[in-house]
Amino acid sequence: MRRAGATPEVNSAVLLIHGARVPGVASFDLPVAGGSLAADLAADGHLVYVLDLRGYGASSRPAAMNSPPDKSAPLMRTEDVVADISAAVDAIAEWSDVSRVSLLGWATGGHWAGAYASRFPQTVDRLILYNTLYGGSDQHPTLGTGSPLENPDRPGTFNVHAFGGYRLNTRPSLFTAWDDSIPVADKAQWRDPAVAAAYGDAALASDETALTRQPPSFRSPSGAMADSFELAFDRRQWSAAELTMPVLVIRSGRDFWSRPEDAKTIVDEAPKAERLDIPEATHFVHLDRETAGRGVFLDAVKRFLDRLEE
């Protein structure tokens, strides 16, 4: 996505990386006001790219996703995703005639972006990690010990039997945790109903098989959940100390996914990292209303991407 006539004055190329369940367009480019982070950044003069990783959205899916989920191990682990991001960055560098690309990763997308950037720092201009798991604690209330992710017969191991190669996600499942984290009874005060409707529509539309099931559901690879389970126990898969580029770590105060320790540990270890906490914001702050934290989030991202490195 680009602003009309922006080519001569482009600030940078930016790649947006989705999280564990919902692919790129549904996450970052909804066709309603306040629903497109991609459009907001393009309007600021950036060339913005939205990625669907393998197994998600319009990208190819592993063949195992055409069989029942219990027929395969969790699909698309971190190293698979790093390979996909590497291919995308190489392509963007050629298309945009840049030597480095900025990355913004949301939730598990932040974990994946960090893993890639730690391995190939010379290709990354700036890195934004948004509500991202990393480490610093071996406790997590919803992903760790005693959670549905843990094998009840083998504590400390991922429940492969429950998740299989991929998961099926219905429209209502997209809003349970989101609604629970909004601190007002009328969710429309906090989140535009048009954004919520577009989010659900785009998520279901991302999978051509969604309407073949009742209720309609879209597939998402389970590798992200297996990796997140490891991170919940502080079993890290990359080193923030290898992030030599400027890093902005954003954490929402009402986030159910990342922990304060994740943000603190990244900032403590990465040489050029800074942190922004948005105390009352939810995990989905870039899709909430301007007054519910989206304005603060967007201003911070724009300033970080536009700022000249000292």
Side-chain angles (χ1 to χ4, degrees):
M1 181 174 291
R2 73 177 73 207
R3 183 177 66 197
T7 304
E9 56 180 334
V10 64
N11 292 332
S12 67
V14 182
L15 175 62
L16 306 182
I17 303 172
H18 63 78
R21 279 205 295 175
V22 177
V25 170
S27 294
F28 299 120
D29 190 28
L30 300 175
V32 293
S36 179
L37 177 61
D40 291 328
L41 297 181
D44 206 37
H46 301 284
L47 293 175
V48 183
Y49 296 85
V50 178
L51 172 66
D52 279 345
L53 297 160
R54 274 177 296 164
Y56 294 88
S59 288
S60 60
R61 299 180 189 270
M65 292 185 72
N66 294 320
S67 299
D70 62 359
K71 300 301 182 182
S72 61
L75 298 166
M76 294 304 295
R77 301 298 296 266
T78 295
E79 293 307 317
D80 301 313
V81 175
V82 167
D84 284 6
I85 296 174
S86 181
V89 168
D90 288 348
I92 290 168
E94 181 177 350
W95 296 334
S96 303
D97 193 24
V98 295
S99 59
R100 294 181 298 173
V101 176
S102 293
L103 308 180
L104 183 152
W106 175 28
T108 307
H111 159 65
W112 290 328
Y116 169 82
S118 70
R119 291 161 173 73
F120 304 101
Q122 71 280 4
T123 69
V124 179
D125 186 23
R126 294 169 189 273
L127 177 65
I128 300 171
L129 305 178
Y130 159 38
N131 288 335
T132 300
L133 285 171
Y134 174 63
S137 171
D138 61 2
Q139 302 295 314
H140 196 295
T142 58
L143 299 176
T145 301
S147 75
L149 277 67
E150 186 176 45
N151 185 337
D153 299 322
R154 296 182 59 198
T157 63
F158 183 65
N159 194 345
V160 174
H161 177 74
F163 285 83
Y166 63 92
R167 297 179 292 158
L168 297 175
N169 309 279
T170 63
R171 180 190 291 265
S173 75
L174 299 176
F175 299 99
T176 304
W178 196 351
D179 287 349
D180 288 346
S181 62
I182 294 176
V184 294
D186 181 5
K187 308 309 176 186
Q189 295 181 23
W190 198 276
R191 178 189 64 215
D192 187 338
V195 170
Y199 183 66
D201 290 346
L204 287 174
S206 72
D207 186 352
E208 62 184 10
T209 72
L211 298 182
T212 67
R213 292 177 288 273
Q214 288 300 323
S217 58
F218 65 96
R219 297 166 293 170
S220 60
S222 290
M225 302 308 294
D227 288 327
S228 298
F229 178 78
E230 298 293 323
L231 298 172
F233 284 87
D234 201 16
R235 301 168 191 166
R236 302 180 203 179
Q237 300 177 9
W238 51 278
S239 171
E242 303 300 321
L243 302 177
T244 55
M245 71 295 299
V247 179
L248 174 62
V249 180
I250 300 177
R251 185 173 186 278
S252 299
R254 294 183 175 275
D255 188 29
F256 57 84
W257 190 260
S258 68
R259 303 159 292 190
E261 293 88 350
D262 295 301
K264 180 181 185 303
T265 305
I266 295 171
V267 172
D268 286 348
E269 294 182 1
K272 299 180 183 178
E274 57 190 273
R275 175 176 173 178
L276 170 66
D277 289 287
I278 311 178
E280 292 300 310
T282 75
H283 181 74
F284 302 84
V285 65
H286 74 288
L287 294 173
D288 286 327
R289 292 191 182 274
E290 296 289 311
T291 54
R294 187 177 194 271
V296 173
F297 172 88
L298 187 58
D299 286 347
V301 169
K302 287 182 175 181
R303 284 198 306 269
F304 180 73
L305 291 175
D306 292 344
R307 190 174 64 204
L308 296 175
E309 187 173 354
E310 298 178 356

PDB file of all heavy atoms in Angstrom, residues 115-137:
ATOM      1  N   ALA A 115      12.551 -12.970  16.052  1.00  0.00           N
ATOM      2  CA  ALA A 115      13.393 -14.110  15.681  1.00  0.00           C
ATOM      3  C   ALA A 115      14.109 -13.838  14.371  1.00  0.00           C
ATOM      4  O   ALA A 115      15.315 -14.103  14.233  1.00  0.00           O
ATOM      5  CB  ALA A 115      12.540 -15.375  15.577  1.00  0.00           C
ATOM      6  N   TYR A 116      13.372 -13.305  13.391  1.00  0.00           N
ATOM      7  CA  TYR A 116      13.999 -12.984  12.104  1.00  0.00           C
ATOM      8  C   TYR A 116      15.063 -11.893  12.277  1.00  0.00           C
ATOM      9  O   TYR A 116      16.198 -12.033  11.778  1.00  0.00           O
ATOM     10  CB  TYR A 116      12.951 -12.525  11.089  1.00  0.00           C
ATOM     11  CG  TYR A 116      13.590 -11.950   9.850  1.00  0.00           C
ATOM     12  CD1 TYR A 116      14.058 -12.787   8.843  1.00  0.00           C
ATOM     13  CD2 TYR A 116      13.790 -10.579   9.716  1.00  0.00           C
ATOM     14  CE1 TYR A 116      14.705 -12.263   7.728  1.00  0.00           C
ATOM     15  CE2 TYR A 116      14.432 -10.056   8.609  1.00  0.00           C
ATOM     16  CZ  TYR A 116      14.893 -10.900   7.617  1.00  0.00           C
ATOM     17  OH  TYR A 116      15.543 -10.383   6.535  1.00  0.00           O
ATOM     18  N   ALA A 117      14.710 -10.815  12.960  1.00  0.00           N
ATOM     19  CA  ALA A 117      15.628  -9.685  13.093  1.00  0.00           C
ATOM     20  C   ALA A 117      16.886 -10.056  13.868  1.00  0.00           C
ATOM     21  O   ALA A 117      17.963  -9.502  13.610  1.00  0.00           O
ATOM     22  CB  ALA A 117      14.919  -8.514  13.776  1.00  0.00           C
ATOM     23  N   SER A 118      16.775 -10.987  14.806  1.00  0.00           N
ATOM     24  CA  SER A 118      17.958 -11.402  15.561  1.00  0.00           C
ATOM     25  C   SER A 118      18.916 -12.217  14.704  1.00  0.00           C
ATOM     26  O   SER A 118      20.119 -12.234  14.955  1.00  0.00           O
ATOM     27  CB  SER A 118      17.542 -12.217  16.792  1.00  0.00           C
ATOM     28  OG  SER A 118      17.019 -13.489  16.424  1.00  0.00           O
ATOM     29  N   ARG A 119      18.385 -12.875  13.672  1.00  0.00           N
ATOM     30  CA  ARG A 119      19.221 -13.680  12.787  1.00  0.00           C
ATOM     31  C   ARG A 119      19.759 -12.890  11.598  1.00  0.00           C
ATOM     32  O   ARG A 119      20.847 -13.168  11.098  1.00  0.00           O
ATOM     33  CB  ARG A 119      18.418 -14.887  12.274  1.00  0.00           C
ATOM     34  CG  ARG A 119      18.107 -15.928  13.361  1.00  0.00           C
ATOM     35  CD  ARG A 119      16.949 -16.806  12.917  1.00  0.00           C
ATOM     36  NE  ARG A 119      16.659 -17.932  13.772  1.00  0.00           N
ATOM     37  CZ  ARG A 119      16.081 -17.875  14.968  1.00  0.00           C
ATOM     38  NH1 ARG A 119      15.769 -16.704  15.488  1.00  0.00           N
ATOM     39  NH2 ARG A 119      15.816 -18.971  15.662  1.00  0.00           N
ATOM     40  N   PHE A 120      18.994 -11.886  11.156  1.00  0.00           N
ATOM     41  CA  PHE A 120      19.386 -11.106   9.979  1.00  0.00           C
ATOM     42  C   PHE A 120      19.292  -9.611  10.269  1.00  0.00           C
ATOM     43  O   PHE A 120      18.574  -8.875   9.574  1.00  0.00           O
ATOM     44  CB  PHE A 120      18.491 -11.476   8.789  1.00  0.00           C
ATOM     45  CG  PHE A 120      18.487 -12.938   8.455  1.00  0.00           C
ATOM     46  CD1 PHE A 120      17.441 -13.761   8.858  1.00  0.00           C
ATOM     47  CD2 PHE A 120      19.542 -13.501   7.744  1.00  0.00           C
ATOM     48  CE1 PHE A 120      17.433 -15.109   8.555  1.00  0.00           C
ATOM     49  CE2 PHE A 120      19.550 -14.859   7.436  1.00  0.00           C
ATOM     50  CZ  PHE A 120      18.501 -15.659   7.844  1.00  0.00           C
ATOM     51  N   PRO A 121      20.003  -9.128  11.282  1.00  0.00           N
ATOM     52  CA  PRO A 121      19.850  -7.721  11.688  1.00  0.00           C
ATOM     53  C   PRO A 121      20.242  -6.727  10.602  1.00  0.00           C
ATOM     54  O   PRO A 121      19.729  -5.599  10.574  1.00  0.00           O
ATOM     55  CB  PRO A 121      20.766  -7.612  12.914  1.00  0.00           C
ATOM     56  CG  PRO A 121      21.760  -8.719  12.751  1.00  0.00           C
ATOM     57  CD  PRO A 121      20.998  -9.834  12.106  1.00  0.00           C
ATOM     58  N   GLN A 122      21.117  -7.133   9.709  1.00  0.00           N
ATOM     59  CA  GLN A 122      21.591  -6.208   8.675  1.00  0.00           C
ATOM     60  C   GLN A 122      20.495  -5.859   7.675  1.00  0.00           C
ATOM     61  O   GLN A 122      20.627  -4.887   6.919  1.00  0.00           O
ATOM     62  CB  GLN A 122      22.798  -6.811   7.942  1.00  0.00           C
ATOM     63  CG  GLN A 122      22.493  -7.980   7.019  1.00  0.00           C
ATOM     64  CD  GLN A 122      22.333  -9.323   7.739  1.00  0.00           C
ATOM     65  OE1 GLN A 122      22.384  -9.386   8.974  1.00  0.00           O
ATOM     66  NE2 GLN A 122      22.159 -10.386   6.979  1.00  0.00           N
ATOM     67  N   THR A 123      19.401  -6.616   7.666  1.00  0.00           N
ATOM     68  CA  THR A 123      18.321  -6.364   6.714  1.00  0.00           C
ATOM     69  C   THR A 123      17.179  -5.550   7.310  1.00  0.00           C
ATOM     70  O   THR A 123      16.229  -5.216   6.593  1.00  0.00           O
ATOM     71  CB  THR A 123      17.747  -7.685   6.184  1.00  0.00           C
ATOM     72  OG1 THR A 123      17.048  -8.349   7.247  1.00  0.00           O
ATOM     73  CG2 THR A 123      18.845  -8.590   5.639  1.00  0.00           C
ATOM     74  N   VAL A 124      17.239  -5.256   8.610  1.00  0.00           N
ATOM     75  CA  VAL A 124      16.121  -4.616   9.306  1.00  0.00           C
ATOM     76  C   VAL A 124      16.484  -3.182   9.677  1.00  0.00           C
ATOM     77  O   VAL A 124      17.484  -2.941  10.358  1.00  0.00           O
ATOM     78  CB  VAL A 124      15.734  -5.414  10.570  1.00  0.00           C
ATOM     79  CG1 VAL A 124      14.576  -4.729  11.293  1.00  0.00           C
ATOM     80  CG2 VAL A 124      15.354  -6.839  10.192  1.00  0.00           C
ATOM     81  N   ASP A 125      15.668  -2.241   9.242  1.00  0.00           N
ATOM     82  CA  ASP A 125      15.886  -0.832   9.541  1.00  0.00           C
ATOM     83  C   ASP A 125      15.429  -0.505  10.957  1.00  0.00           C
ATOM     84  O   ASP A 125      16.201  -0.032  11.788  1.00  0.00           O
ATOM     85  CB  ASP A 125      15.140   0.029   8.526  1.00  0.00           C
ATOM     86  CG  ASP A 125      15.445   1.507   8.685  1.00  0.00           C
ATOM     87  OD1 ASP A 125      16.503   1.844   9.236  1.00  0.00           O
ATOM     88  OD2 ASP A 125      14.607   2.330   8.246  1.00  0.00           O
ATOM     89  N   ARG A 126      14.157  -0.780  11.254  1.00  0.00           N
ATOM     90  CA  ARG A 126      13.583  -0.572  12.583  1.00  0.00           C
ATOM     91  C   ARG A 126      12.647  -1.738  12.900  1.00  0.00           C
ATOM     92  O   ARG A 126      12.079  -2.349  11.988  1.00  0.00           O
ATOM     93  CB  ARG A 126      12.819   0.757  12.646  1.00  0.00           C
ATOM     94  CG  ARG A 126      13.731   1.966  12.485  1.00  0.00           C
ATOM     95  CD  ARG A 126      12.962   3.253  12.284  1.00  0.00           C
ATOM     96  NE  ARG A 126      13.895   4.306  11.940  1.00  0.00           N
ATOM     97  CZ  ARG A 126      14.549   5.063  12.813  1.00  0.00           C
ATOM     98  NH1 ARG A 126      14.342   4.876  14.111  1.00  0.00           N
ATOM     99  NH2 ARG A 126      15.409   5.987  12.422  1.00  0.00           N
ATOM    100  N   LEU A 127      12.465  -1.993  14.184  1.00  0.00           N
ATOM    101  CA  LEU A 127      11.674  -3.144  14.615  1.00  0.00           C
ATOM    102  C   LEU A 127      10.692  -2.699  15.681  1.00  0.00           C
ATOM    103  O   LEU A 127      11.078  -2.092  16.683  1.00  0.00           O
ATOM    104  CB  LEU A 127      12.600  -4.231  15.173  1.00  0.00           C
ATOM    105  CG  LEU A 127      11.942  -5.489  15.743  1.00  0.00           C
ATOM    106  CD1 LEU A 127      11.206  -6.267  14.652  1.00  0.00           C
ATOM    107  CD2 LEU A 127      12.995  -6.388  16.410  1.00  0.00           C
ATOM    108  N   ILE A 128       9.412  -3.004  15.456  1.00  0.00           N
ATOM    109  CA  ILE A 128       8.371  -2.706  16.436  1.00  0.00           C
ATOM    110  C   ILE A 128       7.760  -4.021  16.896  1.00  0.00           C
ATOM    111  O   ILE A 128       7.235  -4.796  16.084  1.00  0.00           O
ATOM    112  CB  ILE A 128       7.282  -1.799  15.837  1.00  0.00           C
ATOM    113  CG1 ILE A 128       7.895  -0.474  15.370  1.00  0.00           C
ATOM    114  CG2 ILE A 128       6.173  -1.539  16.859  1.00  0.00           C
ATOM    115  CD1 ILE A 128       6.959   0.394  14.570  1.00  0.00           C
ATOM    116  N   LEU A 129       7.854  -4.285  18.187  1.00  0.00           N
ATOM    117  CA  LEU A 129       7.327  -5.507  18.797  1.00  0.00           C
ATOM    118  C   LEU A 129       6.143  -5.103  19.666  1.00  0.00           C
ATOM    119  O   LEU A 129       6.296  -4.390  20.660  1.00  0.00           O
ATOM    120  CB  LEU A 129       8.417  -6.195  19.635  1.00  0.00           C
ATOM    121  CG  LEU A 129       9.715  -6.511  18.891  1.00  0.00           C
ATOM    122  CD1 LEU A 129      10.726  -7.130  19.836  1.00  0.00           C
ATOM    123  CD2 LEU A 129       9.451  -7.425  17.700  1.00  0.00           C
ATOM    124  N   TYR A 130       4.977  -5.590  19.300  1.00  0.00           N
ATOM    125  CA  TYR A 130       3.714  -5.096  19.857  1.00  0.00           C
ATOM    126  C   TYR A 130       2.971  -6.245  20.541  1.00  0.00           C
ATOM    127  O   TYR A 130       2.557  -7.190  19.902  1.00  0.00           O
ATOM    128  CB  TYR A 130       2.945  -4.461  18.690  1.00  0.00           C
ATOM    129  CG  TYR A 130       1.470  -4.285  18.776  1.00  0.00           C
ATOM    130  CD1 TYR A 130       0.820  -3.926  19.947  1.00  0.00           C
ATOM    131  CD2 TYR A 130       0.692  -4.419  17.628  1.00  0.00           C
ATOM    132  CE1 TYR A 130      -0.544  -3.736  19.987  1.00  0.00           C
ATOM    133  CE2 TYR A 130      -0.676  -4.229  17.645  1.00  0.00           C
ATOM    134  CZ  TYR A 130      -1.289  -3.892  18.833  1.00  0.00           C
ATOM    135  OH  TYR A 130      -2.652  -3.707  18.860  1.00  0.00           O
ATOM    136  N   ASN A 131       2.887  -6.163  21.890  1.00  0.00           N
ATOM    137  CA  ASN A 131       2.253  -7.204  22.707  1.00  0.00           C
ATOM    138  C   ASN A 131       2.846  -8.579  22.405  1.00  0.00           C
ATOM    139  O   ASN A 131       2.142  -9.544  22.087  1.00  0.00           O
ATOM    140  CB  ASN A 131       0.736  -7.190  22.505  1.00  0.00           C
ATOM    141  CG  ASN A 131       0.088  -5.991  23.169  1.00  0.00           C
ATOM    142  OD1 ASN A 131       0.620  -5.434  24.118  1.00  0.00           O
ATOM    143  ND2 ASN A 131      -1.064  -5.575  22.666  1.00  0.00           N
ATOM    144  N   THR A 132       4.159  -8.641  22.571  1.00  0.00           N
ATOM    145  CA  THR A 132       4.956  -9.786  22.138  1.00  0.00           C
ATOM    146  C   THR A 132       5.458 -10.611  23.318  1.00  0.00           C
ATOM    147  O   THR A 132       6.005 -10.055  24.275  1.00  0.00           O
ATOM    148  CB  THR A 132       6.164  -9.281  21.325  1.00  0.00           C
ATOM    149  OG1 THR A 132       5.689  -8.561  20.198  1.00  0.00           O
ATOM    150  CG2 THR A 132       7.056 -10.416  20.878  1.00  0.00           C
ATOM    151  N   LEU A 133       5.318 -11.920  23.240  1.00  0.00           N
ATOM    152  CA  LEU A 133       5.971 -12.807  24.204  1.00  0.00           C
ATOM    153  C   LEU A 133       7.467 -12.877  23.922  1.00  0.00           C
ATOM    154  O   LEU A 133       7.892 -12.784  22.777  1.00  0.00           O
ATOM    155  CB  LEU A 133       5.391 -14.219  24.093  1.00  0.00           C
ATOM    156  CG  LEU A 133       3.998 -14.465  24.669  1.00  0.00           C
ATOM    157  CD1 LEU A 133       3.513 -15.850  24.262  1.00  0.00           C
ATOM    158  CD2 LEU A 133       3.990 -14.323  26.175  1.00  0.00           C
ATOM    159  N   TYR A 134       8.245 -13.067  24.974  1.00  0.00           N
ATOM    160  CA  TYR A 134       9.688 -13.267  24.801  1.00  0.00           C
ATOM    161  C   TYR A 134      10.262 -14.109  25.927  1.00  0.00           C
ATOM    162  O   TYR A 134      10.762 -15.207  25.711  1.00  0.00           O
ATOM    163  CB  TYR A 134      10.410 -11.921  24.719  1.00  0.00           C
ATOM    164  CG  TYR A 134      11.908 -12.047  24.676  1.00  0.00           C
ATOM    165  CD1 TYR A 134      12.532 -12.693  23.607  1.00  0.00           C
ATOM    166  CD2 TYR A 134      12.709 -11.546  25.698  1.00  0.00           C
ATOM    167  CE1 TYR A 134      13.919 -12.821  23.555  1.00  0.00           C
ATOM    168  CE2 TYR A 134      14.091 -11.662  25.660  1.00  0.00           C
ATOM    169  CZ  TYR A 134      14.699 -12.299  24.588  1.00  0.00           C
ATOM    170  OH  TYR A 134      16.069 -12.435  24.542  1.00  0.00           O
ATOM    171  N   GLY A 135      10.204 -13.606  27.147  1.00  0.00           N
ATOM    172  CA  GLY A 135      10.797 -14.320  28.277  1.00  0.00           C
ATOM    173  C   GLY A 135      10.893 -13.399  29.480  1.00  0.00           C
ATOM    174  O   GLY A 135      10.309 -12.327  29.522  1.00  0.00           O
ATOM    175  N   GLY A 136      11.640 -13.843  30.463  1.00  0.00           N
ATOM    176  CA  GLY A 136      11.769 -13.084  31.696  1.00  0.00           C
ATOM    177  C   GLY A 136      10.914 -13.624  32.818  1.00  0.00           C
ATOM    178  O   GLY A 136      11.035 -13.193  33.970  1.00  0.00           O
ATOM    179  N   SER A 137      10.025 -14.558  32.498  1.00  0.00           N
ATOM    180  CA  SER A 137       9.189 -15.206  33.508  1.00  0.00           C
ATOM    181  C   SER A 137       8.845 -16.603  33.013  1.00  0.00           C
ATOM    182  O   SER A 137       8.719 -16.835  31.812  1.00  0.00           O
ATOM    183  CB  SER A 137       7.896 -14.415  33.721  1.00  0.00           C
ATOM    184  OG  SER A 137       6.992 -15.142  34.544  1.00  0.00           O
TER     185      SER A 137
END
